[in-house]
């Protein structure tokens, strides 16, 4: 099923609107998981055109996926981007029956810069909407502005350091965002109580170590975590994409990880 962008009012009091794209499929479950998804782009990309293969993969597993374009209304800066993302979550939480079912699980998910937003939203939801979200899915999340891990040093040849440095500088700006746990979840000192997490990365991903480190810290804080480092691929951006190059993890593998995670969440809530 094709999807198109449309505006959704995410905060009536502030007259706040955000472009969203809804992904659905013929395999939609009776009480489908409802996934709020944020795409990547290093906090620099403003245009969202084609469908996300990640969001489509989740939808093909029976979920309803709402991709929120946080970049356009927020200009990719903190805290505005986080505020829009959180407003979208609050809106979906109040409209579960409209998009899915009252029994639908509610999750946040994101890739790269979108993984940062998903992690930040999960932290804020713990603080302001306790118990309202059921899980978070972080795919190669960009959560540490220091970019000093071993995997980053090993992967300098990938040519992403300049882009991510520019993106972090743009996102954090001069507002002290670096010190805020919602802006840099990798440096958050209080992780207990956040929603269960599925965290995926790959062996050749420059973000591998910060993703694995975040998973370990969540687990140590008592959060249920499923973490996996997928096999190496031609480049980190393609592990979750549509390309099926030899050695890459195809969308089918991402879908299986998602389905297993949803199954575990449902077994705990039933």
């Amino acid at each position: 099923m094709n999807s198109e962008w449309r505006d959704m009012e995410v905060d009536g009091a502030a007259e706040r609107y955000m472009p969203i794209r809804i992904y659905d499929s013929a395999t939609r479950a009776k009480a489908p998981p409802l996934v709020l998804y944020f795409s990547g782009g290093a906090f620099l990309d403003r245009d969202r055109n084609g469908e996300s293969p990640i969001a489509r993969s989740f939808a093909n597993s029976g979920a309803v996926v709402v991709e929120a374009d946080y970049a356009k209304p927020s200009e990719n800066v903190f805290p505005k981007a986080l505020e829009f993302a959180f407003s979208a979550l609050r809106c979906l939480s109040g409209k579960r029956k409209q998009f899915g079912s009252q029994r639908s699980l509610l999750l946040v998910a994101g890739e790269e810069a979108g993984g940062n937003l998903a992690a930040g939203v999960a932290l804020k939801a713990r603080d302001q909407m306790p118990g309202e979200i059921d899980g978070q899915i972080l795919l190669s999340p960009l959560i540490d502005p220091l970019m000093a891990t071993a995997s980053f040093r090993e992967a300098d040849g990938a040519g992403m350091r300049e882009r991510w440095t520019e993106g972090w500088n743009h996102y954090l700006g001069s507002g002290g965002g670096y010190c805020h746990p919602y802006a840099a979840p990798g440096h958050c000192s209080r992780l207990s109580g956040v929603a269960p997490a599925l965290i995926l990365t790959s062996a050749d991903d420059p973000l591998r170590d910060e993703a694995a480190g975040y998973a370990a810290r969540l687990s140590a804080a008592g959060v249920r975590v499923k973490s996996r480092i997928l096999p190496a691929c031609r480049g980190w951006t393609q592990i979750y994409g549509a390309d099926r190059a030899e050695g890459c993890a195809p969308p089918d593998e991402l879908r299986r990880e998602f389905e297993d995670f949803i199954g575990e969440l449902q077994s705990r809530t039933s």
Side-chain angles (χ1 to χ4, degrees), residues 42-43 111-117 139-144 147 152 164 167-168 183 185 207 210:
F43 297 120
E111 166 203 6
E112 194 235 22
N116 176 299
L117 264 292
L139 310 177
S140 298
L142 186 67
I143 53 177
D144 183 1
M147 299 184 292
F152 231 113
W164 280 329
W168 272 118
L207 305 176
E210 62 191 81

Side-chain angles (χ1 to χ4, degrees), residues 31-259:
L34 180 56
V35 181
L36 176 61
Y37 171 72
F38 307 108
S39 64
F43 297 120
L44 296 172
D45 293 348
R46 299 278 184 90
D47 297 324
R48 310 288 191 218
N49 296 315
E51 282 198 349
S52 160
I54 298 171
R56 177 50 64 193
S57 178
F58 293 163
N60 288 344
S61 293
V64 173
V65 182
V66 178
E67 180 182 1
D69 183 1
Y70 60 91
K72 185 172 289 184
S74 73
E75 299 180 329
N76 275 323
V77 296
F78 180 82
K80 199 173 179 182
L82 192 283
E83 290 170 353
F84 267 96
F86 188 71
S87 292
L89 174 66
R90 193 184 292 278
C91 176
L92 290 184
S93 179
K95 295 183 178 181
R96 290 196 199 206
K97 289 178 69 174
Q98 177 180 331
F99 289 94
S101 153
Q102 195 62 43
R103 294 173 49 246
S104 291
L105 297 175
L106 178 61
L107 301 94
V108 290
E111 166 203 6
E112 194 235 22
N116 176 299
L117 264 292
V121 164
L123 288 167
K124 187 168 183 175
R126 173 204 59 191
D127 297 336
Q128 298 189 17
M129 297 170 58
E132 282 298 305
I133 67 170
D134 301 289
Q136 55 179 315
I137 301 173
L138 311 180
L139 310 177
S140 298
L142 186 67
I143 53 177
D144 183 1
L146 294 182
M147 299 184 292
T149 62
S151 61
F152 231 113
R153 293 193 297 273
E154 293 167 3
D156 273 346
M160 289 297 294
R161 180 179 288 275
E162 258 186 45
R163 177 169 168 79
W164 280 329
T165 298
E166 182 184 355
W168 272 118
N169 289 338
H170 176 79
Y171 182 59
L172 300 177
S174 59
Y178 170 77
C179 300
H180 203 293
Y182 297 165
H187 292 273
C188 180
S189 60
R190 188 173 66 88
L191 296 174
S192 61
V194 298
L198 170 64
I199 301 179
L200 300 179
T201 179
S202 74
D204 63 341
D205 184 357
L207 305 176
R208 180 194 69 218
D209 288 351
E210 62 191 81
Y214 193 60
R217 291 181 58 234
L218 284 171
S219 182
V223 179
R224 293 195 301 271
V225 179
K226 182 179 181 184
S227 177
R228 186 179 170 199
I229 298 176
L230 299 174
C233 188
R234 290 187 305 177
W236 78 270
T237 54
Q238 293 173 346
I239 26 175
Y240 310 118
D243 291 350
R244 290 174 176 264
E246 185 177 355
C248 284
D252 287 347
E253 187 165 1
L254 173 63
R255 188 161 61 245
R256 283 195 296 271
E257 292 289 343
F258 173 75
E259 290 171 352

Side-chain angles (χ1 to χ4, degrees), residues 8-18 80 83-84 87:
M8 179 177 76
E9 185 178 13
V10 295
D11 187 345
E15 295 186 344
R16 207 175 254 176
Y17 293 84
M18 177 184 290
K80 199 173 179 182
E83 290 170 353
F84 267 96
S87 292

